[in-house]
Amino acid sequence: MALSNVLELPASGFNFENSARNAVLEDVLGDGKTKTPKPMKTGTTIAGVVYKDGVVLGADTRATSSEVVADKMCAKIHYIAPNIYCCGAGTAADTEKTTDLLSSNLTIFSMNSSRNPRVIMAVSILQDMLFRYHGQIGAFLILGGVDFTGSHLYSVGPYGSVNEVPYLAMGSGDHAAMGILEDGFKPRLELDEAKTLVCSAIHAGIMSDLGSGSNVDLCVITRQGVDYIRPYQESEFKDQRQGRYKYKPGTTPILRENVEPVEVEVMQETVQKMDTA
Amino acid sequence: EHPKMSGSQVKGVSTGTTILAVKYRGGVIIGSDSRASIGGDYVVSKVVNKLIQVHDRIFCCIAGSLADAQAVTKMAKFQLSFLSIQMESPPLVKAAASVLKELCYRNKEELQAGFITAGWDKKKGPQVYTVSLGGMLVSQPFTIAGSGSTYIYGYVDAKYKPDMSREECMQFATNALALAMGRDNVSGGIIHLVVITEDKAEHVIVPGNKLPKFHDE
């Protein structure tokens, strides 16, 4: 089965070349001379719930680089397909690129086959790719979507393990969020109940985990369409900026003005007739 | 001969587990618990399905790294489906076990997964095979594996009888799994059983509150 792809697929079978190469690189680079750069992580709380008519995904919006908040309004719910969205925790670059690649490949598939992809297809492609990299890609993903076979929620781990579940939390704040979900989840929730449940779960992560914070984003996916609510709930600890960082026009004084006309001489003129018959 | 599958050695999600398969008169029962853990102290999923159907009458149960096991069984499923088209007949249980064994043996440096394959075929009827971590393939009348299996070797050795009836075999498998889940911290959840005969493969679930109790008060 030959699928056109954005990137060339490697030869079939297990291929652990990259994992060996990375191990060698780490040895060479981390030899005291150069430190491997610390990747930006989305120390994160992400959650998802399957409700009566579809799936609700939620995420916080803080991206950290060690102990500094690198981005207060980062978007962790990534578009995969019109009917599939994916929350990502782990290394920010890895989740971005992986979901981007997946989305591109599924778009090509949709164009070739004239249909929206199934959630299980997205999951299979992710699983194959992450397993091939043997855990070196730090992507902890929650994939949710609705297709012809129903509403689905999957967890995908960085080593390529896949689990289909009715409710799920991942990221550094997952313990706090899981507590809320375990307490509040029932099968066949109504939309409002589901949104409140996911929001409370993310909120618990924001409160109890240092790596999660700022606002709560929600994404509701149903057979009819997608409602991406960003932000669903704003952080109650937003501060007002005390100063302005923009310079007013006129801040830089003009010392001297000098106007010099540029003489332009016509050297050559060619007319090319165009046939517009 | 079974190396202990300790959860702390496996990277990522591990099915530190209890799995078994038992031949009885007319069929085979394959069973597992449903717990997936990370690092031996957090339960990632309480309801993981470790019984993977690789063909119509052939199932295998997985132990070790969940990612590795899922990748290997996906590959095996594909190869068996292709094989059955080539041969124009369902694959033998031994063929399925061999496919898994080849994958485990050829990639033994990188993989950390073990399997029990059980099923029914026309040539030899019900069979049970075990493929260990390094790729050893052995056929047995019954077999247990996973971290929880160490606690029930005595029980299964004492209680197994050849040629049991279906009900006796179900009770044997359920009891063995419940005992292991009771003592092993990385095994737990619910019991998944699949009863494979010539006619069909039937999935039976024993929920947590219906597990047999052994002096648990």
Side-chain angles (χ1 to χ4, degrees), chain A residues 61-62 72-73 207 213-216 231 233-242:
Chain A
T61 59
R62 173 180 289 183
K72 289 185 280 194
M73 195 52 175
M207 286 296 133
S214 300
N215 312 326
V216 179
Q233 186 187 83
E234 289 206 314
S235 158
E236 38 280 15
F237 302 102
K238 256 163 88 116
D239 209 0
Q240 292 299 338
R241 277 235 170 84
Q242 298 302 319

Side-chain angles (χ1 to χ4, degrees), chain A residues 27-28 80 147 183-184 212 235 245 275:
Chain A
D27 268 341
V28 168
I80 304 288
D147 60 29
D183 188 43
S212 311
S235 158
Y245 301 106
D275 241 334

Side-chain angles (χ1 to χ4, degrees), chain B residues 117-131:
Chain B
T117 311
W120 186 97
D121 67 42
K122 228 165 77 145
K123 185 168 171 195
K124 288 204 191 152
Q127 294 146 75
V128 170
Y129 293 88
T130 176
V131 178

Side-chain angles (χ1 to χ4, degrees), chain A residues 12-14 16 123-125 127-128 131 134 155 159-169 174-175 178 182, chain B residues 11-13 36 38 41-42 44-49 65-72 74-75 103 107 109-111:
Chain A
S12 63
F14 297 140
F16 296 106
V123 167
S124 282
I125 296 176
Q127 179 175 45
D128 281 345
F131 182 75
H134 223 39
S155 81
Y159 290 92
S161 59
V162 163
N163 244 328
E164 178 167 17
V165 279
Y167 59 91
L168 182 58
D174 69 345
H175 284 53
M178 210 39 160
E182 290 279 15
Chain B
K11 307 155 295 191
V13 177
I38 280 194
D41 58 14
Y42 180 62
V44 168
S45 177
K46 302 177 279 192
V47 287
V48 131
N49 183 21
S65 156
L66 186 58
D68 289 349
Q70 286 180 340
V72 170
K74 264 179 107 169
M75 183 82 78
L103 291 167
N107 296 291
E109 306 302 324
E110 288 92 5
L111 293 175

Side-chain angles (χ1 to χ4, degrees), chain B residues 84-95:
Chain B
S84 66
I85 292 176
Q86 279 184 320
M87 305 286 277
E88 291 194 358
S89 78
L92 298 178
V93 187
K94 177 131 194 222

Side-chain angles (χ1 to χ4, degrees), chain A residues 42-96:
Chain A
T42 54
T44 265
T45 311
I46 49 176
V49 153
V50 175
Y51 77 101
K52 194 179 74 176
D53 300 319
V55 178
V56 177
L57 297 173
D60 73 306
T61 59
R62 173 180 289 183
T64 52
S65 189
S66 297
E67 67 283 358
V68 177
V69 175
D71 190 350
K72 289 185 280 194
M73 195 52 175
C74 114
K76 302 186 192 179
I77 307 184
H78 310 280
Y79 168 86
I80 304 288
N83 56 329
I84 307 174
Y85 276 72
C86 178
C87 306
T91 310
D94 287 347
T95 57
E96 276 291 335

Side-chain angles (χ1 to χ4, degrees), chain B residues 5-204:
Chain B
M5 254 156 291
S6 92
S8 51
Q9 287 172 356
V10 171
K11 307 155 295 191
V13 177
S14 129
T15 54
T17 203
T18 313
I19 48 178
L20 54 65
V22 192
K23 237 193 318 191
Y24 71 94
R25 194 188 329 132
V28 66
I29 293 187
I30 188 167
S32 79
D33 69 310
S34 69
R35 179 172 290 182
S37 51
I38 280 194
D41 58 14
Y42 180 62
V43 176
V44 168
S45 177
K46 302 177 279 192
V47 287
V48 131
N49 183 21
K50 304 182 194 178
L51 301 178
I52 318 273
Q53 182 164 25
V54 291
H55 204 78
D56 293 346
R57 297 283 179 275
I58 309 176
F59 276 70
C60 67
C61 37
I62 59 184
S65 156
L66 186 58
D68 289 349
Q70 286 180 340
V72 170
T73 47
K74 264 179 107 169
M75 183 82 78
K77 226 168 154 172
F78 161 73
Q79 288 191 6
L80 286 173
S81 142
F82 191 67
L83 183 68
S84 66
I85 292 176
Q86 279 184 320
M87 305 286 277
E88 291 194 358
S89 78
L92 298 178
V93 187
K94 177 131 194 222
S98 285
V99 165
L100 289 167
K101 178 264 295 177
E102 249 341 84
L103 291 167
C104 288
Y105 182 72
R106 300 279 167 217
N107 296 291
K108 64 160 74 177
E109 306 302 324
E110 288 92 5
L111 293 175
Q112 262 190 311
F115 304 89
I116 292 179
T117 311
W120 186 97
D121 67 42
K122 228 165 77 145
K123 185 168 171 195
K124 288 204 191 152
Q127 294 146 75
V128 170
Y129 293 88
T130 176
V131 178
S132 71
L133 220 56
M136 172 185 78
L137 172 61
V138 172
S139 166
Q140 294 168 308
F142 74 94
T143 188
I144 55 178
S147 55
S149 66
T150 51
Y151 305 102
I152 51 172
Y153 273 105
Y155 176 79
V156 297
D157 282 341
K159 286 293 185 175
Y160 173 74
K161 298 188 314 266
D163 259 353
M164 285 190 274
S165 73
R166 183 203 147 108
E167 284 66 37
E168 286 177 313
C169 193
M170 287 272 272
Q171 195 60 52
F172 171 73
T174 314
N175 285 349
L177 285 168
L179 283 166
M181 282 152 70
R183 286 291 183 182
D184 182 28
N185 70 322
V186 283
S187 301
I190 62 179
I191 289 183
H192 285 288
L193 293 167
V194 176
V195 185
I196 310 170
T197 57
E198 177 175 1
D199 304 317
K200 60 182 157 112
E202 192 191 327
H203 196 154
V204 176

